Amino acid sequence: MAAHRSGPLKQQNKAHKGGRHRGRGSAQRDGKGRLALKVLSRKVRKELSRVDQRHRASQLRKQKKEAVLAEKRQLGSKDGPPHQVLVVPLHDRISLPEAFRLLQDKDTGTVHLNEWGSTHSFVLLCPRLKHRWYFTSARPGDLHAVLDMAKVADTILFLLDPLEGWDSTGDYCLSCLFAQGLPTYTLAVQGISDLPPRKQIDARKKLNKAVEKRFPDDKLLLLDTQQEAQMLLRQLANQKQRHLAFRDRRAYMFAHAADFVPSEENNLVGTLKISGYIRGQTLNVNSLLHIIGQGDFQMKQIDAPIDPFLLNPRVVKSQDSGAAMEICAVDTVVDMEEDLKVLMKADPERQESLQTEVIPDPMEREQTWPTEEELNEANDCLKESSKVVKKVPKGTSSYQAEWILDEDGESGGEDEYDDTEHEDFIEEESQNESSEKEEEEECETMTIGESVHDDLYDENVDEEAEEKMLEKYKQERLQEMFPDEVDTPRDVAARIRFQKYRGLKSFRTSPWDPKENLPQDYARIFQFQNFTNTRKRIFKEIEEKEVEGAEVGWYVTLHVSEVPVSVVEYFKRGAPLIVFSLLPHEQKMSVLNMVVSRHPGNTEPVKAKEELIFHCGFRRFRASPLFSQHTAADKHKFQRFLTADVALVATVYGPITFPPASVLLFKQNSNGMHSLIATGHLLSVDPDRMVIKRVVLSGHPFKIFTKMAVVRYMFFNREDVLWFKPVELRTKWGRRGHIKEPLGTHGHMKCSFDGKLKSQDTVLMNLYKRVFPKWTYDPYVPEPVPWMKSEISSTVPEVDME
């Protein structure tokens, strides 16, 4: 009897898949004798019970509360630095002298006026509250001074108008301060008592409603009487302090007094003695100092004079008055040599160097001697390039052809012909220009206005600036409509014009070596092997390592060496003198990458490589940035304009700064004012971040045969078609293809695509090259023209209080 055989239609059941829930036997078989890790017990893993977890959480809360209270008690106390308050009026109707008069109360404490430079400030000592304040204010209309003083202020006191709150200038100032980072702040209203009693309640309601947009959940205090000033001082003393990350890890100082001692060799350079209170971190004499707006310097020594603003001084009673308050003027230079104590002197071996750049050695480049094969190839190329094609009679030998002259004569070289033609063209052009100048001299142009008002308006208009701005608007519009598209030049071969560009199969995945074809400026900068690890190590040393030097809260005098006399003159004109200590490597130059977003108050087009003013952390400098997309890939597409809809990355050469740090971008207008164009933060210090510029060449289909097409107007000669033949093509409607062969000598080419081409489609070719920023770093920023309400109101909208 024959055995049954299953046919082709026999049912085949799937094998059972256990998935993750395997049995013990299968796990042992797959393990092949390997043993699993033993589970640690609760005691070894240090797991806490619920009672211990609650106890630990309560201990952590208690420690945080104690730290906050200790910080409050130290700030403004006898052992800590004075509580520095920056007073910022946000409206033209605010009276700053009246506010200072109310705060200088004879019943509150002792007042010391300080008129060093032109910054109006005073120190208020209040033994009853066991607190001392240092009130400062910037020059009216000086935006950079306000931003610099806000970097070191413990509290900012905003003074508001009872009817409008703030005007356009105040709104512009608030935008800059919010972008930079606000410390602790307080809102006070001045002049509400001058309104009729019926209107005071309505004014406060409207003001609270308007303030909620920028300051939610913040109370408004009044500043019209002495009692309200005392309540304001109590509020300032008891507020919880907000921290700015970039200053908490560095020592910084706001100068109370300064003295310049010129050197014996050169009167233009000398030693600057800066007196003030140390804040932030302990200051070591061997570290470097950065004077905001002036550059980096070294210190000679640190002195410890007597604190001129003691909380409980020995009061000498005057004969003519029995008042408890004394108002005295503090001179900038006080002769206290008897009481001076030298804390530290700089050690030349341990002192940080001022070297900012690497001195490049041209002999350190890679040098390889060419091989024999390369030399033979070079000789063959020279022989081929030296061959000249001539029209000769039939049967002429190569030796006879050498003696046949060209039609132009015996010298007849192509280079000489081009040079003479070029010289003739220059002579003709110069003759045309001279004739045009003579015609312009003979004729005069006059503009006849319709009215006197129009004439006055036209006198203030800069026609050249208007033409440049119009051209920028056109370029930005073309970039939006046709991104990265460029017309192929007809006077220069495309293979020469785009010889630095290359084609990529995929912009995202194609390889690109970051060390390839670097510019000469990259030999001058410093680069970290691992920037993130270096930053973590330095920050950890700040928290754990004890540094010798001037402690926080001490009143010291810093001897800064090799300071130009122009620095002192600049600060005597009214700018605040602010000093920051530098972390290791922060004086060295590298490539900074910053994430920035366009400020909504400015709509003018900003082109790449245009000079801008940067506020990066505690630094201020000028540079010309590149803009690129903010992506997570290894290559980032170059952007020709700073767009308003997305965040971009600005890349510049600049001194190393460890993030976090805020970034503000300003642009200097033709009238001298600085307008805010973008805000953001520091991303990284990375020279290997590749910014790739894309160029798109476009052509049009001339004849279409299903998947084949003849394309023209992309190139204009046969050699260019052969040169760019390996590069992939694409169309605006999503087709992809490549060049098959050139047709004729006028740039027509046969192309093959992955689908049928439409007649209205456009054929595109993407070419890429890496771009680098320009070395235009300048630490000296020119003084801006003070704010004018008429100028700012054109870009910043007024606040609607209704």
Side-chain angles (χ1 to χ4, degrees), residues 85 87 96-109 111 122 124 126 128-129 131 133 135 157 159 186-191 193 221-238:
V85 181
V87 183
L96 192 60
E98 178 65 19
F100 277 12
R101 186 189 65 81
L102 292 173
L103 293 171
Q104 297 171 3
D105 185 14
K106 65 180 182 180
D107 298 329
T108 305
V111 177
F122 66 93
L124 177 62
C126 183
R128 186 179 59 183
L129 296 176
H131 210 84
W133 288 273
F135 288 91
L157 177 59
L159 299 181
T186 302
L187 305 177
V189 184
Q190 186 189 62
S193 61
L221 301 177
L222 302 180
L223 187 59
D224 290 327
T225 61
Q226 299 289 353
Q227 292 79 11
E228 292 170 352
Q230 291 182 5
M231 291 179 61
L232 178 61
L233 289 176
R234 288 183 179 273
Q235 172 69 15
L236 294 174
N238 297 325

Side-chain angles (χ1 to χ4, degrees), residues 500-513:
K500 294 183 180 180
Y501 290 80
R502 69 182 70 176
L504 295 178
K505 181 72 175 177
S506 172
F507 182 78
R508 184 178 61 87
T509 60
S510 296
W512 197 309
D513 186 9

